Amino acid sequence: MSRMLFVNMAVENVAAARAFFDKLGFTFDETFCDENTACLEINDRTYVMLLEKPRFRDFINDDICDTTRARETLLCVSADSREAVDELVDAAIAAGGSEWVTEGARKANAEMSEYSHGRAFRDLDRHVWEVMWMDVAAATKAWESEAGNSEGATATQA
């Protein structure tokens, strides 16, 4: 069975959030949109429900994460190329978002630069969206090579 995924996210202002993601080239499924909700389409089986905080509270019994102080999730979307990663993140910044960079991300990008490229941004409500491109065949080859090298080292040490 192929499942659908609906990620629910609290936003301050659904109209502002919708305008932000519209500027990034995302589309919305109007079937699930109203004055409190926007259904952001990632693909034909994956959606992000942008819910104004009062509407989001209808679905929870505890608190909404304060995204100025903590992360409740990291969302990662793929891009078709290195350039497309940069275009999407640059568009997010131009639309009012901010770049999100961590030391771990810098290290991972440096280690995997031959076969992947990633950057991240925070949206208007400070949710973190990672954007990544990967040459899966090259990555798999590199990982298999690394696994072979570490197995050889273990056998030599034993």
Side-chain angles (χ1 to χ4, degrees), residues 99-121:
E99 189 149 19
W100 175 260
V101 182
T102 65
E103 192 54 41
R106 273 192 195 92
K107 183 179 177 186
N109 274 332
E111 291 172 356
M112 300 184 295
S113 64
E114 292 181 28
Y115 51 81
S116 73
H117 176 62
R119 288 175 62 196
F121 66 89

PDB file of all heavy atoms in Angstrom, residues 99-121:
ATOM      1  N   GLU A  99      18.001  32.291   6.019  1.00  0.00           N
ATOM      2  CA  GLU A  99      18.826  31.100   5.822  1.00  0.00           C
ATOM      3  C   GLU A  99      19.060  30.425   7.164  1.00  0.00           C
ATOM      4  O   GLU A  99      19.184  31.079   8.195  1.00  0.00           O
ATOM      5  CB  GLU A  99      20.158  31.463   5.169  1.00  0.00           C
ATOM      6  CG  GLU A  99      20.939  30.246   4.743  1.00  0.00           C
ATOM      7  CD  GLU A  99      21.801  30.465   3.521  1.00  0.00           C
ATOM      8  OE1 GLU A  99      22.088  31.623   3.181  1.00  0.00           O
ATOM      9  OE2 GLU A  99      22.178  29.461   2.904  1.00  0.00           O
ATOM     10  N   TRP A 100      19.118  29.100   7.157  1.00  0.00           N
ATOM     11  CA  TRP A 100      19.340  28.300   8.357  1.00  0.00           C
ATOM     12  C   TRP A 100      20.604  27.477   8.097  1.00  0.00           C
ATOM     13  O   TRP A 100      20.651  26.665   7.189  1.00  0.00           O
ATOM     14  CB  TRP A 100      18.147  27.381   8.586  1.00  0.00           C
ATOM     15  CG  TRP A 100      18.303  26.427   9.725  1.00  0.00           C
ATOM     16  CD1 TRP A 100      18.643  25.098   9.643  1.00  0.00           C
ATOM     17  CD2 TRP A 100      18.124  26.691  11.107  1.00  0.00           C
ATOM     18  NE1 TRP A 100      18.677  24.538  10.895  1.00  0.00           N
ATOM     19  CE2 TRP A 100      18.364  25.503  11.816  1.00  0.00           C
ATOM     20  CE3 TRP A 100      17.787  27.839  11.833  1.00  0.00           C
ATOM     21  CZ2 TRP A 100      18.276  25.405  13.193  1.00  0.00           C
ATOM     22  CZ3 TRP A 100      17.692  27.743  13.204  1.00  0.00           C
ATOM     23  CH2 TRP A 100      17.930  26.549  13.876  1.00  0.00           C
ATOM     24  N   VAL A 101      21.629  27.733   8.883  1.00  0.00           N
ATOM     25  CA  VAL A 101      22.892  27.028   8.711  1.00  0.00           C
ATOM     26  C   VAL A 101      23.361  26.533  10.072  1.00  0.00           C
ATOM     27  O   VAL A 101      23.358  27.290  11.040  1.00  0.00           O
ATOM     28  CB  VAL A 101      23.981  27.944   8.108  1.00  0.00           C
ATOM     29  CG1 VAL A 101      25.276  27.175   7.898  1.00  0.00           C
ATOM     30  CG2 VAL A 101      23.516  28.568   6.804  1.00  0.00           C
ATOM     31  N   THR A 102      23.749  25.269  10.144  1.00  0.00           N
ATOM     32  CA  THR A 102      24.321  24.719  11.372  1.00  0.00           C
ATOM     33  C   THR A 102      25.708  24.183  11.060  1.00  0.00           C
ATOM     34  O   THR A 102      26.040  23.903   9.899  1.00  0.00           O
ATOM     35  CB  THR A 102      23.470  23.565  11.940  1.00  0.00           C
ATOM     36  OG1 THR A 102      23.506  22.471  11.016  1.00  0.00           O
ATOM     37  CG2 THR A 102      22.031  24.007  12.199  1.00  0.00           C
ATOM     38  N   GLU A 103      26.517  24.026  12.073  1.00  0.00           N
ATOM     39  CA  GLU A 103      27.862  23.476  11.875  1.00  0.00           C
ATOM     40  C   GLU A 103      27.779  22.052  11.329  1.00  0.00           C
ATOM     41  O   GLU A 103      28.563  21.660  10.472  1.00  0.00           O
ATOM     42  CB  GLU A 103      28.649  23.510  13.187  1.00  0.00           C
ATOM     43  CG  GLU A 103      30.119  23.236  12.994  1.00  0.00           C
ATOM     44  CD  GLU A 103      30.807  24.147  11.974  1.00  0.00           C
ATOM     45  OE1 GLU A 103      30.523  25.359  11.948  1.00  0.00           O
ATOM     46  OE2 GLU A 103      31.614  23.633  11.176  1.00  0.00           O
ATOM     47  N   GLY A 104      26.815  21.278  11.822  1.00  0.00           N
ATOM     48  CA  GLY A 104      26.641  19.914  11.319  1.00  0.00           C
ATOM     49  C   GLY A 104      26.307  19.885   9.835  1.00  0.00           C
ATOM     50  O   GLY A 104      26.804  19.043   9.093  1.00  0.00           O
ATOM     51  N   ALA A 105      25.479  20.811   9.389  1.00  0.00           N
ATOM     52  CA  ALA A 105      25.124  20.879   7.972  1.00  0.00           C
ATOM     53  C   ALA A 105      26.331  21.278   7.132  1.00  0.00           C
ATOM     54  O   ALA A 105      26.553  20.729   6.051  1.00  0.00           O
ATOM     55  CB  ALA A 105      23.974  21.859   7.764  1.00  0.00           C
ATOM     56  N   ARG A 106      27.113  22.237   7.627  1.00  0.00           N
ATOM     57  CA  ARG A 106      28.326  22.634   6.907  1.00  0.00           C
ATOM     58  C   ARG A 106      29.263  21.432   6.735  1.00  0.00           C
ATOM     59  O   ARG A 106      29.809  21.198   5.657  1.00  0.00           O
ATOM     60  CB  ARG A 106      29.068  23.734   7.668  1.00  0.00           C
ATOM     61  CG  ARG A 106      28.626  25.118   7.371  1.00  0.00           C
ATOM     62  CD  ARG A 106      29.643  26.113   7.952  1.00  0.00           C
ATOM     63  NE  ARG A 106      29.080  27.438   7.988  1.00  0.00           N
ATOM     64  CZ  ARG A 106      28.426  27.957   9.023  1.00  0.00           C
ATOM     65  NH1 ARG A 106      28.294  27.291  10.132  1.00  0.00           N
ATOM     66  NH2 ARG A 106      27.929  29.172   8.963  1.00  0.00           N
ATOM     67  N   LYS A 107      29.443  20.678   7.804  1.00  0.00           N
ATOM     68  CA  LYS A 107      30.329  19.515   7.772  1.00  0.00           C
ATOM     69  C   LYS A 107      29.800  18.464   6.799  1.00  0.00           C
ATOM     70  O   LYS A 107      30.556  17.927   5.986  1.00  0.00           O
ATOM     71  CB  LYS A 107      30.460  18.925   9.177  1.00  0.00           C
ATOM     72  CG  LYS A 107      31.413  17.756   9.251  1.00  0.00           C
ATOM     73  CD  LYS A 107      31.533  17.233  10.670  1.00  0.00           C
ATOM     74  CE  LYS A 107      32.439  16.004  10.701  1.00  0.00           C
ATOM     75  NZ  LYS A 107      32.480  15.384  12.001  1.00  0.00           N
ATOM     76  N   ALA A 108      28.511  18.169   6.878  1.00  0.00           N
ATOM     77  CA  ALA A 108      27.918  17.168   5.978  1.00  0.00           C
ATOM     78  C   ALA A 108      28.041  17.604   4.526  1.00  0.00           C
ATOM     79  O   ALA A 108      28.374  16.787   3.656  1.00  0.00           O
ATOM     80  CB  ALA A 108      26.458  16.928   6.349  1.00  0.00           C
ATOM     81  N   ASN A 109      27.777  18.875   4.244  1.00  0.00           N
ATOM     82  CA  ASN A 109      27.902  19.365   2.869  1.00  0.00           C
ATOM     83  C   ASN A 109      29.327  19.224   2.363  1.00  0.00           C
ATOM     84  O   ASN A 109      29.554  18.854   1.211  1.00  0.00           O
ATOM     85  CB  ASN A 109      27.447  20.820   2.764  1.00  0.00           C
ATOM     86  CG  ASN A 109      25.959  20.940   2.553  1.00  0.00           C
ATOM     87  OD1 ASN A 109      25.326  20.057   1.991  1.00  0.00           O
ATOM     88  ND2 ASN A 109      25.393  22.033   3.014  1.00  0.00           N
ATOM     89  N   ALA A 110      30.313  19.522   3.201  1.00  0.00           N
ATOM     90  CA  ALA A 110      31.715  19.403   2.795  1.00  0.00           C
ATOM     91  C   ALA A 110      32.075  17.942   2.539  1.00  0.00           C
ATOM     92  O   ALA A 110      32.740  17.621   1.545  1.00  0.00           O
ATOM     93  CB  ALA A 110      32.627  20.002   3.866  1.00  0.00           C
ATOM     94  N   GLU A 111      31.626  17.050   3.401  1.00  0.00           N
ATOM     95  CA  GLU A 111      31.954  15.626   3.268  1.00  0.00           C
ATOM     96  C   GLU A 111      31.281  14.980   2.058  1.00  0.00           C
ATOM     97  O   GLU A 111      31.817  14.047   1.482  1.00  0.00           O
ATOM     98  CB  GLU A 111      31.554  14.868   4.533  1.00  0.00           C
ATOM     99  CG  GLU A 111      32.403  15.211   5.735  1.00  0.00           C
ATOM    100  CD  GLU A 111      31.882  14.600   7.028  1.00  0.00           C
ATOM    101  OE1 GLU A 111      30.810  13.956   7.018  1.00  0.00           O
ATOM    102  OE2 GLU A 111      32.543  14.793   8.068  1.00  0.00           O
ATOM    103  N   MET A 112      30.114  15.469   1.685  1.00  0.00           N
ATOM    104  CA  MET A 112      29.344  14.840   0.618  1.00  0.00           C
ATOM    105  C   MET A 112      29.243  15.702  -0.638  1.00  0.00           C
ATOM    106  O   MET A 112      28.411  15.463  -1.496  1.00  0.00           O
ATOM    107  CB  MET A 112      27.943  14.503   1.133  1.00  0.00           C
ATOM    108  CG  MET A 112      27.935  13.546   2.303  1.00  0.00           C
ATOM    109  SD  MET A 112      26.282  13.045   2.852  1.00  0.00           S
ATOM    110  CE  MET A 112      25.590  14.592   3.441  1.00  0.00           C
ATOM    111  N   SER A 113      30.115  16.700  -0.776  1.00  0.00           N
ATOM    112  CA  SER A 113      29.980  17.678  -1.853  1.00  0.00           C
ATOM    113  C   SER A 113      30.106  17.079  -3.248  1.00  0.00           C
ATOM    114  O   SER A 113      29.600  17.644  -4.208  1.00  0.00           O
ATOM    115  CB  SER A 113      30.996  18.809  -1.677  1.00  0.00           C
ATOM    116  OG  SER A 113      32.314  18.297  -1.797  1.00  0.00           O
ATOM    117  N   GLU A 114      30.769  15.937  -3.375  1.00  0.00           N
ATOM    118  CA  GLU A 114      30.921  15.328  -4.700  1.00  0.00           C
ATOM    119  C   GLU A 114      29.598  14.796  -5.242  1.00  0.00           C
ATOM    120  O   GLU A 114      29.416  14.709  -6.450  1.00  0.00           O
ATOM    121  CB  GLU A 114      31.939  14.193  -4.656  1.00  0.00           C
ATOM    122  CG  GLU A 114      33.354  14.676  -4.414  1.00  0.00           C
ATOM    123  CD  GLU A 114      34.349  13.536  -4.391  1.00  0.00           C
ATOM    124  OE1 GLU A 114      34.098  12.500  -5.051  1.00  0.00           O
ATOM    125  OE2 GLU A 114      35.370  13.671  -3.702  1.00  0.00           O
ATOM    126  N   TYR A 115      28.674  14.420  -4.361  1.00  0.00           N
ATOM    127  CA  TYR A 115      27.436  13.796  -4.834  1.00  0.00           C
ATOM    128  C   TYR A 115      26.161  14.398  -4.245  1.00  0.00           C
ATOM    129  O   TYR A 115      25.077  13.904  -4.502  1.00  0.00           O
ATOM    130  CB  TYR A 115      27.459  12.286  -4.581  1.00  0.00           C
ATOM    131  CG  TYR A 115      27.802  11.893  -3.156  1.00  0.00           C
ATOM    132  CD1 TYR A 115      26.835  11.910  -2.162  1.00  0.00           C
ATOM    133  CD2 TYR A 115      29.099  11.528  -2.825  1.00  0.00           C
ATOM    134  CE1 TYR A 115      27.145  11.558  -0.864  1.00  0.00           C
ATOM    135  CE2 TYR A 115      29.416  11.164  -1.524  1.00  0.00           C
ATOM    136  CZ  TYR A 115      28.435  11.185  -0.553  1.00  0.00           C
ATOM    137  OH  TYR A 115      28.750  10.842   0.738  1.00  0.00           O
ATOM    138  N   SER A 116      26.290  15.474  -3.467  1.00  0.00           N
ATOM    139  CA  SER A 116      25.063  16.109  -2.957  1.00  0.00           C
ATOM    140  C   SER A 116      25.316  17.580  -2.653  1.00  0.00           C
ATOM    141  O   SER A 116      26.460  18.035  -2.572  1.00  0.00           O
ATOM    142  CB  SER A 116      24.549  15.395  -1.708  1.00  0.00           C
ATOM    143  OG  SER A 116      25.384  15.679  -0.604  1.00  0.00           O
ATOM    144  N   HIS A 117      24.212  18.294  -2.495  1.00  0.00           N
ATOM    145  CA  HIS A 117      24.274  19.715  -2.140  1.00  0.00           C
ATOM    146  C   HIS A 117      23.005  20.047  -1.370  1.00  0.00           C
ATOM    147  O   HIS A 117      21.908  19.647  -1.774  1.00  0.00           O
ATOM    148  CB  HIS A 117      24.359  20.581  -3.403  1.00  0.00           C
ATOM    149  CG  HIS A 117      24.343  22.053  -3.136  1.00  0.00           C
ATOM    150  ND1 HIS A 117      25.317  22.686  -2.400  1.00  0.00           N
ATOM    151  CD2 HIS A 117      23.466  23.018  -3.505  1.00  0.00           C
ATOM    152  CE1 HIS A 117      25.039  23.988  -2.327  1.00  0.00           C
ATOM    153  NE2 HIS A 117      23.925  24.206  -2.993  1.00  0.00           N
ATOM    154  N   GLY A 118      23.154  20.726  -0.263  1.00  0.00           N
ATOM    155  CA  GLY A 118      21.979  21.089   0.520  1.00  0.00           C
ATOM    156  C   GLY A 118      22.140  22.443   1.175  1.00  0.00           C
ATOM    157  O   GLY A 118      23.241  22.877   1.481  1.00  0.00           O
ATOM    158  N   ARG A 119      21.017  23.079   1.376  1.00  0.00           N
ATOM    159  CA  ARG A 119      20.923  24.323   2.125  1.00  0.00           C
ATOM    160  C   ARG A 119      19.586  24.287   2.846  1.00  0.00           C
ATOM    161  O   ARG A 119      18.766  23.410   2.596  1.00  0.00           O
ATOM    162  CB  ARG A 119      20.973  25.554   1.202  1.00  0.00           C
ATOM    163  CG  ARG A 119      22.341  25.799   0.616  1.00  0.00           C
ATOM    164  CD  ARG A 119      22.344  26.950  -0.377  1.00  0.00           C
ATOM    165  NE  ARG A 119      21.960  28.223   0.226  1.00  0.00           N
ATOM    166  CZ  ARG A 119      21.597  29.297  -0.499  1.00  0.00           C
ATOM    167  NH1 ARG A 119      21.568  29.246  -1.823  1.00  0.00           N
ATOM    168  NH2 ARG A 119      21.250  30.411   0.110  1.00  0.00           N
ATOM    169  N   ALA A 120      19.359  25.240   3.726  1.00  0.00           N
ATOM    170  CA  ALA A 120      18.093  25.263   4.449  1.00  0.00           C
ATOM    171  C   ALA A 120      17.653  26.696   4.697  1.00  0.00           C
ATOM    172  O   ALA A 120      18.463  27.618   4.706  1.00  0.00           O
ATOM    173  CB  ALA A 120      18.230  24.513   5.773  1.00  0.00           C
ATOM    174  N   PHE A 121      16.346  26.845   4.908  1.00  0.00           N
ATOM    175  CA  PHE A 121      15.786  28.150   5.244  1.00  0.00           C
ATOM    176  C   PHE A 121      14.727  27.985   6.325  1.00  0.00           C
ATOM    177  O   PHE A 121      14.208  26.894   6.547  1.00  0.00           O
ATOM    178  CB  PHE A 121      15.191  28.843   4.012  1.00  0.00           C
ATOM    179  CG  PHE A 121      13.985  28.150   3.414  1.00  0.00           C
ATOM    180  CD1 PHE A 121      12.697  28.438   3.854  1.00  0.00           C
ATOM    181  CD2 PHE A 121      14.142  27.219   2.398  1.00  0.00           C
ATOM    182  CE1 PHE A 121      11.594  27.808   3.304  1.00  0.00           C
ATOM    183  CE2 PHE A 121      13.046  26.579   1.837  1.00  0.00           C
ATOM    184  CZ  PHE A 121      11.767  26.877   2.292  1.00  0.00           C
TER     185      PHE A 121
END
